[in-house]
Amino acid sequence: MEGLFFNVNNGFLEGIVRGYKAGILTQSHYASLTQCETLEDLKTQLSATDYGNFLANEASLTTTIISDRATQLLVDQFNFLRSNAVEPLSKFLDYITYSYMIDNVVLLITGTLHERDTHELLERCHPLGVFESMPALCVATNVEELYQSVLVETPLAPYFRNCLSAADLDDLNIEIIRNTIYKAYLEDFYEFVGTLGSPTSDVMRTILAFEADRRTINITINSFGTELTKEQRAKLFPAIGRLFPDGNNALAKADDIEQVRLVCENIPEYRSFFDNSPGDAQDLGDLGIAAQLEDRFFRTEVRLNKEAFLQQFQYGVFYSYVKLKEQEIRNLTWIAECIAQDARDRINDYIPIF
């Protein structure tokens, strides 16, 4: 029934975002990009794609400039979608920006703790996570003031209010704070998409469940050998996802990567994350396995976001487009960095999308 009325408010924007998706770089584009000898060659190759002349005004090219300009194109596209959206799509698009806001606010908190110039930090913030009252946070001269500003001035206030107090804001707890707030955000987003009904809730809950499981696994592995207690670790796990609740309980007690692997064995799609011959696992070490795991997480994320486009009349395509475009920007940055560093043996270690 919803499909009959979906296009009244959202058909135009869904058509736009599917048009944007058609401009995502394909394998043949990447084949051309990896043959480039210099960043100027890369710029020329990209000019023949949907990126067009986005680097035309740059006198000298660096990897950072390429990444920043590509990100700005994504932000411009997102802002166009957001400015034309009506409820509940507009609120859904706001939720997409909250994850970037969390990273930006945590960056400002970290900078204030270390007495860095917050105006410098503003330039390093992700543009998708910039909100209207963000400059007001720069007025804060200490962590207490910043905490009060966050509670009053930002859309993240409910997550902060329920998760921590100003006394928690110190170096030791910064990552705990980030993960606690992200847990609250994911659970809230998961609940919100449930109110939108099928097929949006079906598509988005699959994606958010994977995101929650990825964070749970990463938190577990990153907490090995740190001062984080198992009780603290358990509190950081999102209460959603395919590992919840039994897998989360087992991961809270895990002491090494082998135990994490055994927990993931219970989810058929997660078994391949740790697929290694015994010799490989010993050669890689814990850090190597964690890096390989992150790569496999990205590949799974790309697959889930591509699958979101197989269904019509749902909002998941907006979320998935942003995530696929982010992966494309990571790919471009990787290729540009390999060209700049003359590390051609690793230039093909990107994650293809289409």
Side-chain angles (χ1 to χ4, degrees):
M1 189 66 181
E2 291 82 0
L4 291 174
F5 301 104
F6 182 89
N7 285 346
V8 175
N9 289 325
N10 308 304
F12 168 67
L13 292 180
E14 189 187 1
I16 291 288
V17 84
R18 286 180 183 276
Y20 287 161
K21 174 242 182 188
I24 289 178
L25 300 180
T26 62
Q27 192 62 57
S28 60
H29 289 128
Y30 285 119
S32 301
L33 295 174
T34 53
Q35 299 302 313
C36 295
E37 295 291 331
T38 65
L39 293 182
E40 283 295 331
D41 292 346
L42 191 75
K43 172 180 169 182
T44 305
Q45 288 290 345
L46 285 173
S47 67
T49 69
D50 272 29
Y51 281 98
N53 59 353
F54 78 121
L55 295 171
N57 297 326
E58 303 302 331
S60 60
L61 286 179
T62 64
T63 306
T64 307
I65 286 173
I66 293 171
S67 174
D68 288 349
R69 297 298 173 271
T71 301
Q72 191 54 51
L73 278 182
L74 170 60
V75 173
D76 292 344
Q77 290 175 342
F78 183 86
N79 288 339
F80 175 78
L81 295 171
R82 177 66 187 83
S83 61
N84 285 282
V86 295
E87 288 282 356
L89 176 57
S90 56
K91 188 174 182 184
F92 179 86
L93 294 175
D94 286 342
Y95 266 100
I96 294 175
T97 65
Y98 289 170
S99 62
Y100 303 100
M101 287 185 194
I102 291 169
D103 288 337
N104 288 351
V105 170
V106 170
L107 178 67
L108 291 173
I109 290 173
T110 310
T112 306
L113 268 177
H114 293 130
E115 299 180 353
R116 297 273 302 278
D117 180 2
T118 43
H119 294 281
E120 274 180 35
L121 293 171
L122 267 184
E123 294 173 11
R124 291 176 50 200
C125 287
H126 196 290
L128 270 181
V130 172
F131 43 91
E132 205 174 317
S133 54
M134 201 158 159
L137 300 186
C138 293
V139 178
T141 54
N142 58 51
V143 172
E144 180 73 37
E145 283 180 24
L146 186 63
Y147 176 74
Q148 293 303 330
S149 299
V150 168
L151 278 186
V152 175
E153 302 287 349
T154 80
L156 306 176
Y159 308 143
F160 273 84
R161 190 181 299 116
N162 297 332
C163 293
L164 66 148
S165 65
D168 293 327
L169 299 177
D170 60 44
D171 257 353
L172 183 64
N173 288 325
I174 284 293
E175 280 308 309
I176 295 178
I177 289 165
R178 185 200 302 273
N179 286 306
T180 306
I181 296 165
Y182 215 97
K183 161 187 156 75
Y185 156 69
L186 275 179
E187 291 169 0
D188 188 30
F189 197 3
Y190 192 85
E191 188 178 329
F192 171 70
V193 296
T195 67
L196 299 175
S198 182
T200 297
S201 58
D202 299 338
V203 171
M204 282 305 301
R205 284 191 158 182
T206 301
I207 293 171
L208 292 176
F210 169 71
E211 181 60 33
D213 289 342
R214 170 161 72 171
R215 294 192 76 82
T216 299
I217 294 168
N218 278 337
I219 289 166
T220 304
I221 292 172
N222 292 337
S223 66
F224 294 153
T226 67
E227 296 174 22
L228 195 71
T229 65
K230 290 181 178 178
E231 292 75 21
Q232 286 175 313
R233 184 201 298 174
K235 288 178 184 174
L236 301 179
F237 294 165
I240 57 172
R242 299 182 65 185
L243 290 171
F244 176 79
D246 295 343
N248 284 17
N249 293 337
L251 287 173
K253 299 168 188 165
D255 293 310
D256 56 43
I257 285 187
E258 180 58 26
Q259 291 177 4
V260 176
R261 186 185 66 77
L262 291 174
V263 173
C264 291
E265 286 278 313
N266 296 318
I267 311 291
E269 289 87 346
Y270 295 176
R271 285 176 190 161
S272 63
F273 291 161
F274 293 89
D275 273 355
N276 282 311
S277 65
D280 286 345
Q282 288 171 358
D283 293 342
L284 286 169
D286 281 3
L287 282 176
I289 291 172
Q292 189 181 68
L293 197 56
E294 194 63 25
D295 190 64
R296 288 173 179 177
F297 283 153
F298 279 134
R299 289 179 187 276
T300 303
E301 183 185 40
V302 165
R303 177 178 60 77
L304 290 174
N305 286 314
K306 281 164 63 177
E307 287 172 0
F309 282 89
L310 300 178
Q311 288 200 57
Q312 283 187 297
F313 310 127
Q314 45 93 14
Y315 295 159
V317 291
F318 297 93
Y319 178 92
S320 293
Y321 174 70
V322 172
K323 294 302 175 184
L324 289 176
K325 201 68 178 170
E326 277 197 319
Q327 183 57 54
E328 180 176 278
I329 292 167
R330 280 193 291 271
N331 289 346
L332 281 181
T333 306
W334 176 265
I335 292 169
E337 196 64 59
C338 286
I339 292 170
Q341 305 278 349
D342 199 23
R344 306 203 68 81
D345 55 322
R346 299 194 61 196
I347 202 167
N348 289 305
D349 290 353
Y350 59 86
I351 295 169
I353 299 172
F354 291 110

